[in-house]
Amino acid sequence: MKNMPIPRMRLLKDAAAEVKKLDPRTAVTPYFIRKLAIEGKVKSTMAGRKRLINFDDLLDYLNQLPNISPEDGNIRRIG
């Protein structure tokens, strides 16, 4: 059997705390991570009543998000 890397699985709150360590000003919350996992955008599994998040997959997802600027037309002023 080949040495396969073990996925870094974290509880929701722990995943959010690790993201916070990497970027103290992050806006990523446990709620946002839970939503990504439920929508299947980030790999996760249930361990009893707790959700384990694949931390490496979460970081990959966050690193692939496009940079959105007002010039892109995706953001508009209200009022």
Side-chain angles (χ1 to χ4, degrees):
M1 185 168 152
K2 293 184 180 181
N3 288 338
M4 297 181 71
I6 297 172
R8 295 190 295 169
M9 303 301 285
R10 302 289 184 268
L11 293 172
L12 258 164
K13 290 181 181 181
D14 295 337
E18 286 200 38
V19 170
K20 187 86 167 167
K21 280 184 198 174
L22 295 171
D23 178 13
R25 296 184 59 190
T26 189
V28 174
T29 63
Y31 175 81
F32 177 69
I33 296 171
R34 181 183 299 111
K35 184 176 173 190
L36 293 175
I38 290 170
E39 292 174 356
K41 295 178 180 176
V42 172
K43 293 176 188 171
S44 70
T45 189
M46 294 300 291
R49 296 182 66 180
K50 298 186 183 236
R51 184 174 299 275
L52 294 174
I53 304 296
N54 183 316
F55 188 67
D56 296 312
D57 197 48
L58 173 63
L59 293 180
D60 288 343
Y61 179 85
L62 294 174
N63 283 319
Q64 292 177 14
L65 290 176
N67 291 327
I68 300 172
S69 66
E71 293 82 28
D72 293 337
N74 295 328
I75 299 174
R76 60 187 170 93
R77 184 178 292 243
I78 298 176

